[in-house]
Amino acid sequence: MHVPDGFIDAPTSAVTGVIGAGAIAVSLRGARRELDERTAPLAGLVAAFIFAVQMLNFPVAAGTSGHLLGGALAAILVGPYTGVLCVSVVLLMQGVLFADGGLTALGVNITDMAIVTTVVSYAVFRGLLAVLPRKRRSVTVASFVAAVLSVPAAAVAFTLMYAVGGTTDVSIGKVATAMIGVHVLIGIGEAVITALTVSAVIAVRPDLVHGARGLQQRLKLRVDGALVDAPAPTAPVAARTSRRTLWITGLITSLVLAGFVSFYASANPDGLEKVAHDKGIDKKAEKHASADSPLADYGVKDVSDARLSGGLAGVIGVGVTVVAGSAVFWAVRRRRSADVSPVNTGL
C-alpha cells in the first residue's frame, strides 16, 4: 500500500500533505490525553513492532502478497491519536531511509495508511464494543473485525485519490475492483496479526491496552429487591508481567522478526504493486529520491550476503524507529505533564 512518487499528481499530493500535517498536529494534541508515564514507552515500541511486521509479506493470492498496515493495531493498543502518530513515524522512517513509499507521496501515504486505517478501525472497534459483552474476549473479536475492514477502507481511499489525481488514464472501476478485491484478502491477514497481538498484550497487561480500558463491569448486588453496584475492589488486579519486561520482550520480538524472520517473507509484489503493474498505474512512477540510500530496498549497501544485508537493515530500522517514536511520545508526555502542572492550573 506504500504509494510511490508519480502515481498521484503534485496538486493532489500537496493537498494530502496538508491533510496529513493537520492530522498529525491534531494527533499530537490528542495524544497528550492518551499517553502517560506507563503507556508512552509502549507507543514507541508499537511503532517499532509495526515497522518489523510490515517487513513480513504474506501470500494472499497467486503472485500477490500483503503486509500489515498497522492502523488498527496501533489505535487499539495506544489510542487513535497516538496510533496516527505511530504509523506516521513508521512511514517517515520507511520513506527516508528505505526508499519505501515516495517522499512527495508522503502525504498520500499518511492519509491512506495512518489516518484512514486508524479512524475507520477505531470507529468500528468502539461500535462493536458498545454492543458486545464487556469482556476481554470482546476486545479481541472487535480488533479482528476492525482490522479486516480497515484495509479495504484504505484501498477505497487510494482509489478516490487516484480518481482525483491519478497520473495515468486507467478506468477507476477497474482500479477499484482490483484494489478492493485483493485488499479484502490482505485484511484477513491484518486481522489475524492484530487480534493475536492485542490478545497477547491483554493477557499480561490489560491495563496498558487503550481499547480495553473501562471494560470491567461492576459486580451487581441485590439489596432489598434492587440491583446496586458492589463496592469497587480495594486492590487492583496484579499484572502478570512488569512494563519493563513487556517492553524488552516486545523489542526482542521486533528485532527477531525484522532481522531474521523477514528473510522468509513472500517475495511477491504487494497488493498495490500488483494492481499497479497489471492495470498500468505505474507507467509514470518516478525514481525514489532516496533510491541511493545505504538502506534502500531494506538492504545494507555493499553487504553482498542477502540474508545478512536484509537482517541488518531490519535491525537498524527497528532501532531507528523505536528511538524516533520514543522521542516523539516522550516529548508528548512531557508536554502533558507541563499542561497539568500546578503552574498551569491557574490556582
Side-chain angles (χ1 to χ4, degrees):
M1 188 65 77
H2 293 77
V3 180
D5 296 320
F7 278 27
I8 306 297
D9 63 22
T12 306
S13 296
V15 170
T16 58
V18 172
I19 293 173
I24 289 174
V26 171
S27 296
L28 285 169
R29 188 173 184 84
R32 296 180 201 170
R33 300 190 297 272
E34 295 173 344
L35 296 173
D36 54 31
E37 67 280 356
R38 299 179 308 122
T39 57
L42 179 62
L45 178 62
V46 168
F49 182 77
I50 289 173
F51 175 92
V53 180
Q54 282 196 2
M55 294 183 66
L56 308 181
N57 281 47
F58 49 84
V60 294
T64 310
S65 69
H67 63 70
L68 181 80
L69 298 186
L73 177 62
I76 295 164
L77 287 180
V78 293
Y81 294 107
T82 309
V84 170
L85 298 178
C86 282
V87 181
S88 297
V89 168
V90 173
L91 293 171
L92 182 61
M93 296 299 103
Q94 290 170 331
V96 172
L97 298 178
F98 297 91
D100 189 10
L103 295 184
T104 62
L106 185 58
V108 173
N109 286 317
I110 289 177
T111 300
D112 197 28
M113 295 178 63
I115 301 172
V116 171
T117 60
T118 302
V119 171
V120 169
S121 63
Y122 198 70
V124 172
F125 177 78
R126 298 310 309 185
L128 287 173
L129 286 188
V131 298
L132 290 172
R134 299 174 66 82
K135 299 179 180 179
R136 293 179 185 177
R137 184 177 300 175
S138 298
V139 177
T140 303
V141 173
S143 300
F144 186 95
V145 177
V148 164
L149 296 178
S150 70
V151 179
V156 171
F158 169 79
T159 302
L160 293 176
M161 286 186 280
Y162 184 81
V164 174
T167 56
T168 54
D169 186 16
V170 179
S171 168
I172 299 303
K174 292 181 179 180
V175 174
T177 300
M179 284 291 294
I180 296 172
V182 71
H183 284 91
V184 166
L185 299 177
I186 295 173
I188 296 173
E190 176 105 6
V192 170
I193 296 169
T194 299
L196 288 176
T197 305
V198 170
S199 179
V201 179
I202 286 180
V204 295
R205 289 302 300 257
D207 58 310
L208 297 182
V209 178
H210 184 275
R213 293 176 182 175
L215 285 184
Q216 295 298 327
Q217 235 175 357
R218 184 70 63 84
L219 178 66
K220 297 287 186 178
L221 297 178
R222 187 174 295 278
V223 178
D224 296 329
L227 290 176
V228 298
D229 288 336
T234 57
V237 178
R240 294 188 181 183
T241 188
S242 68
R243 282 180 287 152
R244 176 177 296 181
T245 300
L246 176 64
W247 196 91
I248 293 174
T249 302
L251 180 60
I252 292 174
T253 301
S254 300
L255 291 170
V256 170
L257 291 175
F260 177 73
V261 181
S262 62
F263 180 78
Y264 301 98
S266 173
N268 292 330
D270 67 22
L272 176 60
E273 291 173 329
K274 179 67 172 175
V275 172
H277 177 74
D278 290 348
K279 305 301 179 183
I281 297 175
D282 58 357
K283 291 179 180 178
K284 294 187 178 180
E286 301 173 1
K287 182 180 178 181
H288 199 287
S290 299
D292 296 326
S293 165
L295 299 173
D297 297 324
Y298 298 95
V300 177
K301 190 175 182 180
D302 297 329
V303 176
S304 57
D305 184 274
R307 185 192 297 268
L308 179 60
S309 178
L312 286 174
V315 168
I316 293 171
V318 168
V320 172
T321 303
V322 76
V323 170
S326 297
V328 170
F329 300 123
W330 178 264
V332 171
R333 188 181 73 83
R334 287 286 300 273
R335 183 63 182 270
R336 167 179 167 158
S337 299
D339 288 344
V340 299
S341 66
V343 174
N344 292 320
T345 59
L347 298 178

